[in-house]
Amino acid sequence: MNAPAISRFPVPEIKDLPEDIRDRILAVQEKSGFVPNVFLTLAYRPDEFRAFFAYHDALMDKPGKITKAEREMIVVATSNANQCQYCVVAHGAILRIRAKNPLIADQVAINYRKADITPRQMAMIDFAMKVSARAYEVSDDDIAVLESHGLSMDDAWDIAAISAFFGMSNRLANVTSMRPNDEFYSLGR
């Protein structure tokens, strides 16, 4: 039986990609042991691939008060709200690894309000979910809640940017019918 397509759009061969994109994909493959389908799917549009991953890296790899695991929590919760199977599965795996907790991704994806997270993390995800669904309602009161948990205006920006960026990512993943790699399902368990 043939494996299902990873995208409804054409997926280029790695050998045919521009050198910088090919090098990035091969580096990811070397580190993780497989090529996440998001890289192959987005490589269909090289200029957009570069822009996407530049912004992704700027948001997700930066140091600060919001940990890398907490950034992944935001992605998993908002991606679930946007019904993005790829991002829930892929970023759920990353969350399990970064949080060193095999249960947290499922808890956050299904109902973050009942997950084993801190009040600070709950406030962060509440804010991210509001940005994801009703950004037009965000007010100074929402920022004040974050500040009451020790988060700054820059942290609020980061949470909003992660939510907004992954809203776009979720929509692209759904439109392309991007399939999660089988490897993601068992990582961090």
Side-chain angles (χ1 to χ4, degrees):
M1 181 170 124
N2 289 342
I6 66 168
S7 172
R8 69 169 39 106
F9 289 82
V11 176
E13 294 289 330
I14 294 173
K15 66 179 177 51
D16 298 330
L17 292 170
E19 184 178 1
D20 63 317
I21 294 174
R22 184 176 57 247
D23 289 348
R24 177 159 186 162
I25 290 173
L26 293 175
V28 168
Q29 182 179 34
E30 176 72 24
K31 182 177 179 181
S32 65
F34 65 100
V35 178
N37 289 340
V38 66
F39 288 89
L40 299 173
T41 299
L42 295 181
Y44 174 61
R45 309 279 295 256
D47 289 340
E48 293 166 39
F49 176 103
R50 291 179 187 101
F52 179 94
F53 283 107
Y55 197 40
H56 171 277
D57 296 350
L59 292 172
M60 300 303 287
D61 293 338
K62 70 191 296 183
K65 285 189 274 183
I66 303 171
T67 68
K68 288 183 178 186
E70 289 168 337
R71 291 169 192 276
E72 296 297 339
M73 283 181 194
I74 293 165
V75 176
V76 170
T78 58
S79 294
N80 180 56
N82 291 321
Q83 298 183 35
C84 181
Q85 182 185 48
Y86 184 88
C87 290
V88 170
V89 172
H91 289 274
I94 298 167
L95 172 55
R96 288 189 300 271
I97 291 166
R98 290 197 168 153
K100 297 176 180 54
N101 180 340
L103 308 178
I104 194 66
D106 293 336
Q107 292 176 356
V108 170
I110 293 165
N111 185 349
Y112 75 92
R113 290 174 189 89
K114 295 183 188 270
D116 297 326
I117 60 177
T118 67
R120 176 181 172 276
Q121 291 165 340
M122 181 82 64
M124 290 174 17
I125 298 173
D126 281 343
F127 182 70
M129 294 294 277
K130 189 169 190 178
V131 170
S132 181
R134 303 179 326 279
Y136 54 87
E137 290 182 8
V138 171
S139 70
D140 290 344
D141 292 341
D142 298 303
I143 305 300
V145 170
L146 294 175
E147 289 173 337
S148 76
H149 289 279
L151 296 162
S152 68
M153 291 294 285
D154 281 341
D155 297 326
W157 182 289
D158 286 347
I159 295 165
I162 292 165
S163 178
F165 175 80
F166 278 93
M168 178 201 68
S169 178
N170 298 158
R171 285 155 181 80
L172 283 172
N174 281 325
V175 168
T176 62
S177 195
M178 193 184 309
R179 291 187 50 82
N181 301 67
D182 290 346
E183 293 89 344
F184 284 127
Y185 289 96
S186 60
L187 289 175
R189 297 221 187 250

